[in-house]
Amino acid sequence: EPRSPWCCLAWTLVIGTMNSLVFLLNLLLMFVIFTIVLLPTIVVVYFGFQCHSQVLHSSARYCKSILDDNSSSALIILGFVIMSPLLVVAMAIYCSLARRLQLLVCFQPYSLALYKGGRWCRRGEGAPCCARGCNTQLKAWV
């Protein structure tokens, strides 16, 4: 049966807040994974730009003794070349972790706010997720 207007508004806010928190958790997890996996690229490109004479031209000792303009250019190119495979690896790690934690199934439908009788339950061993009927065959992707 349908909920009252005020109850519907309250449940909409609760479900919207919960969906926002799940979204932020996904975003934080993605940021951490991409930062860790892309750290070699970030470091290589940073040192390449830092020691190149036409970009930042640092006065650090390693820039004067080890890295000249040619080696700095090589570092910049190497950093951008290894970025593509590392992006694929980072996305694969995020997708497998999100699938294992069932993060994409944790988004609640707004029909829970409109009608009484919908229930939240635990899906499998993991996250508190599914909405109506607790369908165990529900998958976020095939």
Side-chain angles (χ1 to χ4, degrees), residues 5-141:
W6 290 106
C7 185
C8 181
L9 179 64
W11 274 102
T12 301
L13 292 175
V14 167
I15 292 171
T17 303
M18 190 177 111
N19 286 344
S20 297
L21 289 175
V22 170
F23 174 75
L24 290 176
L25 177 70
N26 276 308
L27 202 61
L28 177 68
L29 182 66
M30 188 182 295
F31 176 76
V32 168
I33 290 172
F34 274 71
T35 301
I36 290 172
V37 171
L38 292 176
L39 191 61
T41 298
I42 295 168
V43 169
V44 167
V45 170
Y46 171 75
F47 282 120
F49 278 124
Q50 184 182 15
C51 294
H52 199 281
S53 67
Q54 294 184 3
V55 183
L56 293 178
H57 194 56
S58 175
S59 61
R61 186 172 47 108
Y62 56 84
C63 286
K64 292 179 181 178
S65 62
I66 299 174
L67 297 174
D68 59 352
D69 281 350
N70 291 333
S71 58
S72 296
S73 298
L75 281 179
I76 294 168
I77 292 169
L78 175 69
F80 284 112
V81 166
I82 65 173
M83 185 184 304
S84 295
L86 289 180
L87 280 172
V88 172
V89 168
M91 196 60 178
I93 291 171
Y94 167 73
C95 287
S96 68
L97 195 57
R99 186 173 184 180
R100 181 168 296 156
L101 296 175
Q102 298 178 352
L103 292 177
L104 300 176
V105 183
C106 289
F107 289 102
Q108 295 293 329
Y110 283 102
S111 63
L112 286 175
L114 299 176
Y115 298 103
K116 294 179 184 176
R119 58 181 184 198
W120 293 355
C121 66
R122 298 188 75 78
R123 177 167 157 72
E125 304 171 354
C129 292
C130 60
R132 290 181 170 263
C134 295
N135 184 2
T136 58
Q137 300 298 321
L138 179 66
K139 294 182 181 179
W141 57 83

